[in-house]
Amino acid sequence: MKNHLSLLVPLVIILLAGSPSARSAPPAEPLTLGEALQLALANRPAFEAARSRVDSARYLRVGLFAPPPLRLSLQATSSPPSFGSDDAIVFSQAVDLFGRRQANRTLGEAQVLLAEAQLRSVFAEVQADVVDRYADAVAAKGLAASARDQLALAERLLQATRQRADGGIIAPVQVKRVGIEVERARQTLALRQSAQLAAFRRLAVALGVPETRVEVGDFPSLPIGPVDALTLGRQRADLLAFAAQAVLAEASVGVRRLELRPDFELSARPSGLRAMLSLPLSD
């Protein structure tokens, strides 16, 4: 029994410390919907990871379009020199005859498009989550305020009913009826306050901030108008992702097809210039 009490006392202390009555932090300033979205984007690892993938794809695009380097080959042999193999120093340069650089650049562009579409998709998910949580918090706060007003009105009505009953104007049973309404309004307020606390906690989790920093104002009016199909195709993250995947697949096929083309190389040696054409024999 003592062991159970020793475990129960710290648990009660933790619960009391986390309860609204135990917090003494000053009330936070109301967050606008835009500020809430900025906090969520700053504290979401998924959004930061998606943005890093976009940066990585852009750097990779630059590397894929880089020209082939000029190579210097040095050789030494103890074998007797033979024709064409006695050059100790060779400068060689690969020549792109079939557009491999452009194909690689197209592949890099497709990878960037896909990464940007994925970033837009993550942004849309975060935005939808924040808007939903923010709207729930605003609604819960409004319902709690309405329940608080109803309780105050019911208490004033109870006081007036008691005065009229004490004066013999109405029957005393009316006081009991109004008292029941007061108790119902009090329970409704407790329910609305609990719902508000839960909504604020869900919003705090969505924003990645402590609950003490969460406070909302009025929900802003969002302009909603008709969107044509062309604009929708440029803004929908899923449609952009499908288009980017199609471009990426086509670019991958083009790069793979060019790998079967010959390689052409020019080299400068002490014995003279040489051109070499290499043909792939298998894929």
Side-chain angles (χ1 to χ4, degrees):
M1 184 65 179
K2 292 182 179 180
N3 292 334
H4 288 295
L5 289 176
S6 62
L7 293 175
L8 182 60
V9 171
L11 179 60
V12 172
I13 294 176
I14 292 174
L15 291 176
L16 289 177
S19 63
S21 60
R23 291 193 294 264
S24 58
E29 292 292 331
L31 291 172
T32 64
L33 181 58
E35 293 172 345
L37 180 59
Q38 291 178 359
L39 283 174
L41 293 176
N43 296 323
R44 288 289 181 97
F47 182 76
E48 188 63 30
R51 188 162 55 182
S52 298
R53 287 194 293 269
V54 172
D55 295 337
S56 177
R58 289 173 178 171
Y59 291 136
L60 181 60
R61 175 185 58 186
V62 176
L64 290 175
F65 191 62
L70 175 65
R71 298 185 178 277
L72 170 64
S73 302
L74 303 176
Q75 68 176 5
T77 180
S78 60
S79 302
S82 59
F83 177 76
S85 63
D86 57 346
D87 297 319
I89 300 177
V90 177
F91 291 93
S92 58
Q93 174 67 59
V95 180
D96 184 13
L97 296 180
F98 302 101
R100 285 192 176 91
R101 286 184 62 198
Q102 186 60 40
N104 288 332
R105 182 176 184 177
T106 303
L107 179 63
E109 292 285 355
Q111 292 173 346
V112 171
L113 290 176
L114 181 59
E116 290 176 346
Q118 293 172 346
L119 175 62
R120 182 181 288 269
S121 177
V122 174
F123 176 83
E125 292 176 0
V126 175
Q127 183 181 31
D129 186 33
V130 171
V131 171
D132 289 342
R133 301 301 185 188
Y134 192 91
D136 291 343
V138 172
K141 181 180 178 181
L143 290 174
S146 177
R148 194 176 299 109
D149 294 338
Q150 290 179 0
L151 177 59
L153 179 62
E155 289 176 344
R156 290 196 300 268
L157 179 60
L158 177 60
Q159 183 180 3
T161 304
R162 283 174 178 172
Q163 292 177 357
R164 292 171 63 86
D166 293 341
I169 302 175
I170 59 176
V173 70
Q174 299 296 331
V175 178
K176 294 183 179 181
R177 294 181 60 183
V178 177
I180 293 175
E181 295 298 329
V182 170
E183 184 61 28
R184 183 179 300 173
R186 187 175 290 113
Q187 293 178 1
T188 301
L189 175 59
L191 178 63
R192 298 303 186 191
Q193 287 177 336
S194 299
Q196 178 184 350
L197 180 61
F200 275 38
R201 285 179 177 175
R202 289 192 294 268
L203 179 58
V205 172
L207 302 185
V209 297
E211 185 183 345
T212 54
R213 292 186 57 187
V214 174
E215 180 59 50
V216 296
D218 297 331
F219 194 83
S221 59
L222 301 178
I224 300 177
V227 180
D228 59 282
L230 184 59
T231 303
L232 186 64
R234 292 195 302 262
Q235 294 181 353
R236 282 281 298 270
D238 53 350
L239 298 180
L240 291 175
F242 290 147
Q245 290 172 357
V247 174
L248 180 60
E250 184 178 356
S252 300
V253 171
V255 171
R256 179 58 180 167
R257 185 181 295 114
L258 289 176
E259 290 178 354
L260 304 177
R261 298 294 180 87
D263 294 328
F264 183 72
E265 183 181 85
L266 294 176
S267 59
R269 307 162 180 262
S271 59
L273 299 177
R274 177 179 297 181
M276 183 172 60
L277 189 67
S278 302
L279 303 176
L281 298 180
S282 63
D283 56 0

